[in-house]
Every structure is written in C-alpha cells, then in structure tokens.
Amino acid sequence: MAAKVSDEMAARIWIFVVAVALSLSLPSFASSQDLQIVNAERRIDLSSHIVKAFLTLKVENIGKNPAADMLLAFPPTQIKHLSMVQALAVTGKKKKKAYLPLDVKPSEQPDAPNDTGYFLVTFATPLTPGETVTLEVLYILTHSLEPFPMEIAQSEAQLVYYRDSAVILSPYRIKQQTTYFKTPSTRVESFTSVEPANRAGKEIKYGPYDDRAPYSYAPVIVHFENNSPFAVVEELVREIEISHWGSIQITENYRLTHGGARHKGVFSRVDYQSRRSISGSSSFNGLLAVLPPRVNSVYYRDDIGNISTSHLRTGYKKSELEFEPRYPLFGGWRATFIIGYRVPLEDYLFEAPDGRRYLNFTFGCPLVETIVNKLTIKVVLPEGSKDPSAVLPFTVNQDLQVKYSYLDIVGRTVVVLQKDNVVPTHNVPFQVYYTFKPIYMLAEPFMLVSAFFFVFVASLAYVHIDLNIVKK
C-alpha cells in the first residue's frame, strides 16, 4: 500500500515539473497595455481611386512578458473597404536594411469598441520586455472616395470626399505620430483642420501629435479634385484551359464600369474630341492590359464583334495590350468585352518532385490600376486529371466543377477560385497541382482514328453493295 502511495506521489511531482518546464519554455502573450507605439508615421496616397496607406510603426514592449503579436485597428467604415493588409519587420540600418514579411490575418476581439475591426500581426520572434521593433504596414482601401457632387456634366471636373482620422486608430498608446495626405492635384476645395495641420502643394500634413491615448480618433474630411480613371470591373471571369498538346488558352470576360460621379446631360462627341483636356476630363477611353510574355493569337472583341482599336507590344518579361472600348466611359457608363490569348505550355506548366504537375500562373486582373468587385478564375485541367489542389498566398473561395468539350468522355475537372475586392497588389503567382497519367493523352487521338476507321469501313461496305434490281 505504501509503495502504491509513493508511486502516485512521484507521478504527481513529475507532472508538476513538466508543466513548470513547459510554462517557462513557451512565450507568454502580452496584453494591449504591455505595448506602446513610440513613433508612428502614416502616408495616405489619394492620387487614384485606389487608396493606399503606408504606416511606419516603432513598437516597444513596456510590459514584463514577451509579446508574440500586436493588433492593427480599423474603424468600421474602412473594414468593409479593406482589400489587403501587409506588414514587414525592418531589420538593420540604412544600406544594410532588410525587410521580413510577417503573418497578418483578421482577428475578432470581444471587447472591441464602436465595432472596431482588427488584424493580428505576428512578430518574427517574440518581443522581449524593453525591446523595440519597426514595422512597415501597407493597407489598401477600395470604393473609399465619394464623388461630390454625385453628378457632373461633361465639361465639369470630378470632386471627391475622403473621410479618415487625423490620428491613427490604435489599441495602444502612441507617443508621437504624424499623418500625410497626398492629393493628385493642388486643387483642394477644403479639409478639416485639427491643429497642427497645414497644406503645401499636393500634401496635407496633420501633426505631430504627442501622447495620444488608445482608441483616439479625430475625424477629418478632405474634399479635392480627382480626375483619374475610376475603372471598376464589376465582374471578371478568367478561364485558363490547359492542353498538354502545347499551349494554354486564356479567355477573359469583363464587365467594366466607370465608378466615379455619374454623367448628367447630353454627350457631345465634337467637344470631347476637340477639347479633351476640358471636356470629359474625368472619363477614360483607353485601357492597358499587362499580359504574359510570348503571347500569341490575341483577340479583343465584344458582343458586336471584333474591335480593331488595339495595339499589342510583346517582350521577354511582359506583353502590353493597349485598347479602347467602342465609346468613352463617363460616370455610371458600362462596357462588356472579351480578351483572349494563348501562351506556350512549357512556360507555365511544370513537374513537381513528387511527380505531380502544376500550373504556375498570375492571379488577379491584367488591367492596370483597376478594382475588381468579383473575380472568378477557372482552371480547366486536361481530361483524366485527378487530385487537384490550389496554393495561394491569401484566402480565396475554392470549388470544383466539370466541363465537357469536344471528344470528352468523363469531362474535364475545373478548379474554381473566387475572390472579391481585388486590386493590382493581388497580381501574384499561384499554383494548381494535379496528377495526370500520360496514357490519357492518347484518348482523343484514338477516338479520332476510330471514327475515321468506322467511316472508312462503312464507305467500303456501301461501295460493295449491289444496288441493281434483278428480275426473278
């Protein structure tokens, strides 16, 4: 009995020792009161309809425990327009400066005030007490410029509102901060003054502000001229069809609109062509699509037919297609069109070390400086492909479909990738892996040969039939 009690006591002691060791080896997570931002600088670029904000944060751990991550806070009016958030850790100084990408993902906090949204940034290594780290943060907003007035005539310039805060919304105390707004021109109708604030040319400066408490907020409105093309693709469907016989066919269906102030009144083609800088300054009639290198069989058409107002430049690194819709686009006007092209198979299809094949292609929209409300990419794999999987650096909705084409028996597997609120920063490579047995490549030629053989045999049988009527 005594031996049994001693064994139980030894087991409890062992469990206690292991628990203490694990608690000492794992980094503890610091609360929001354990971090402070020593210095913050925010630069917001308003030169196009895609708003880009660059944050430089010097973060210090003032607590007693290591901090493994920190929160980025956004007001509810920006959360629904956020397209992308990226963070880099800065190491080294001056010429030896290096940037280390950090993991950023949405986060929900139960005690969030005023429906504040959060993103969690995980440090490369836990931030020890007294240690500082410098972060470079990029976040992109779409549909954040409000046209005012909402309707303009052909000869009027486009004015827009941008709403934000003079100070950075943060769950941490900020010792010192400055915010800059960059406008596309020097025409600024008005801006909210939160002292100290001043404007010089295209730049509006707010701050520096010292020792701001967590969740400080100072709303500002900037009213300025912005005649950049508000090109918005309401829906884009890109179909990438792989053929193991030598090429990849890409077909892109666009539904494009002008997302700026709506056009009112009549349209004068004479004024538009004779005084383009004054008449229709906020419209656009030329688009640029950046295509892969070595493209061939390029076409551009709409529901009516082929459109000849296009020019293609090919190169070793990229190809550029300049084209014009059938008519210029003013606010609220729409256009639908199709762009198609082929690329060599050997440039984008490779074999993995485990024997699988994979497609390496570019995600996003080829049109320059364009917002895509809904993007769907369909990767059509050869018939007989199995076990498809897609690898992307961000979250997308994935689905599988089946498509039937000429001479197909069981159909072709289609990997469907769908993402909303896409901007040019999303134009990064992605991969689609699948397994394929080379014997399946002989299926279609075998069916063609079989069809010709049966036709040949049937024709021979028809020739040898005696069609004469014999009298008995």
Side-chain angles (χ1 to χ4, degrees):
M1 183 69 179
K4 183 178 181 181
V5 172
S6 61
D7 291 343
E8 291 179 356
M9 184 63 67
R12 290 180 181 180
I13 294 174
W14 172 250
I15 293 173
F16 176 77
V17 171
V18 172
V20 171
L22 288 174
S23 64
L24 292 175
S25 62
L26 293 176
S28 58
F29 294 91
S31 64
S32 59
Q33 288 76 23
D34 293 335
L35 295 178
Q36 75 170 2
I37 300 177
V38 179
N39 188 33
E41 181 182 279
R42 180 176 57 162
R43 293 185 176 272
I44 301 176
D45 186 0
L46 305 174
S47 56
S48 76
H49 67 307
I50 302 175
V51 178
K52 306 178 185 70
F54 303 89
L55 276 172
T56 302
L57 306 174
K58 186 177 182 180
V59 184
E60 181 184 12
N61 185 354
I62 57 176
K64 298 180 180 179
N65 300 314
D69 46 39
M70 70 171 292
L71 292 171
L72 299 176
F74 297 92
T77 53
Q78 289 186 351
I79 277 291
K80 60 183 179 180
H81 297 299
L82 265 177
S83 176
M84 173 174 285
V85 181
Q86 295 178 336
L88 302 172
V90 182
T91 59
K93 296 181 179 180
K94 296 183 179 180
K95 294 183 179 180
K96 295 184 179 180
K97 186 179 293 186
Y99 298 91
L100 180 65
L102 302 178
D103 182 51
V104 182
K105 57 184 178 181
S107 176
E108 293 185 3
Q109 302 296 319
D111 55 347
N114 300 322
D115 296 326
T116 301
Y118 298 92
F119 279 77
L120 187 71
V121 180
T122 304
F123 298 134
T125 57
L127 199 63
T128 58
E131 187 182 2
T132 62
V133 63
T134 300
L135 303 181
E136 296 282 352
V137 178
L138 165 67
Y139 63 89
I140 298 176
L141 300 170
T142 60
H143 304 294
S144 295
L145 300 183
E146 308 171 28
F148 187 82
M150 299 181 65
E151 294 184 350
I152 58 175
Q154 181 175 335
S155 59
E156 294 179 305
Q158 179 174 257
L159 300 175
V160 297
Y161 276 144
Y162 177 69
R163 306 173 189 269
D164 209 317
S165 172
V167 296
I168 300 172
L169 180 65
S170 175
Y172 313 106
R173 180 174 295 275
I174 303 180
K175 301 296 289 183
Q176 188 179 65
Q177 61 178 305
T178 309
T179 295
Y180 300 88
F181 294 95
K182 179 185 176 183
T183 57
S185 68
T186 57
R187 182 181 176 184
V188 177
E189 298 292 301
S190 63
F191 65 95
T192 306
S193 179
V194 180
E195 296 297 333
N198 61 77
R199 182 172 75 92
K202 299 180 181 180
E203 187 175 83
I204 303 172
K205 178 183 177 181
Y206 285 96
Y209 303 110
D210 296 328
D211 200 21
R212 291 292 175 135
Y215 295 105
S216 296
Y217 197 79
V220 296
I221 299 177
V222 183
H223 192 204
F224 60 98
E225 179 182 353
N226 190 333
N227 290 317
S228 63
F230 277 45
V232 178
V233 179
E234 295 179 333
E235 185 176 10
L236 168 59
V237 179
R238 302 180 69 192
E239 185 177 88
I240 305 170
E241 186 170 350
I242 302 174
S243 171
H244 285 170
W245 292 99
S247 67
I248 300 175
Q249 174 67 47
I250 297 94
T251 306
E252 301 170 350
N253 292 267
Y254 291 86
R255 196 167 77 232
L256 179 70
T257 185
H258 189 304
R262 298 182 66 86
H263 176 74
K264 68 176 181 180
V266 297
F267 169 66
S268 173
R269 173 72 71 173
V270 175
D271 291 345
Y272 182 80
Q273 293 182 342
S274 60
R275 299 185 302 167
R276 176 65 194 278
S277 59
I278 302 175
S279 179
S281 57
S282 64
S283 67
F284 62 90
N285 70 335
L287 296 168
L288 175 64
V290 179
L291 305 181
R294 299 180 63 191
V295 295
N296 59 80
S297 305
V298 181
Y299 64 87
Y300 162 52
R301 62 179 176 84
D302 58 9
D303 294 336
I304 300 176
N306 185 58
I307 304 176
S308 59
T309 53
S310 61
H311 177 68
L312 176 66
R313 295 191 300 268
T314 58
Y316 290 104
K317 294 184 178 180
K318 64 179 180 179
S319 301
E320 294 182 339
L321 176 65
E322 294 179 344
F323 62 97
E324 298 180 4
R326 292 188 181 273
Y327 47 84
L329 292 183
F330 287 81
W333 292 15
R334 290 175 169 81
T336 57
F337 55 88
I338 299 174
I339 297 177
Y341 50 93
R342 290 179 180 271
V343 292
L345 183 69
E346 63 269 17
D347 291 353
Y348 302 95
L349 191 68
F350 307 95
E351 186 173 350
D354 59 1
R356 293 184 300 168
R357 304 189 184 197
Y358 68 94
L359 171 76
N360 187 50
F361 211 72
T362 302
F363 194 83
C365 175
L367 298 186
V368 174
E369 206 64 19
T370 304
I371 299 172
V372 182
N373 292 342
K374 181 180 179 181
L375 171 64
T376 303
I377 295 182
K378 298 182 178 181
V379 181
V380 184
L381 304 178
E383 189 176 27
S385 301
K386 296 181 179 180
D387 305 322
S389 62
V391 179
L392 295 98
F394 38 76
T395 302
V396 299
N397 297 324
Q398 300 188 26
D399 194 13
L400 292 178
Q401 297 178 357
V402 178
K403 178 183 178 180
Y404 290 90
S405 185
Y406 299 106
L407 303 177
D408 287 346
I409 301 175
V410 297
R412 306 185 184 190
T413 302
V414 181
V415 180
V416 181
L417 309 174
Q418 195 274 323
K419 187 173 180 60
D420 298 336
N421 207 19
V422 176
V423 293
T425 316
H426 288 111
N427 293 3
V428 296
F430 74 99
Q431 296 78 37
V432 174
Y433 289 82
Y434 63 96
T435 58
F436 183 82
K437 295 182 179 179
I439 191 65
Y440 286 109
M441 294 183 63
L442 302 178
E444 292 183 1
F446 177 75
M447 293 181 63
L448 287 175
V449 171
S450 300
F452 281 115
F453 176 76
F454 285 119
V455 170
F456 178 72
V457 172
S459 61
L460 287 180
Y462 177 79
V463 170
H464 286 81
I465 293 176
D466 189 358
L467 298 179
N468 294 326
I469 301 177
V470 181
K471 185 176 180 181
K472 294 184 179 179

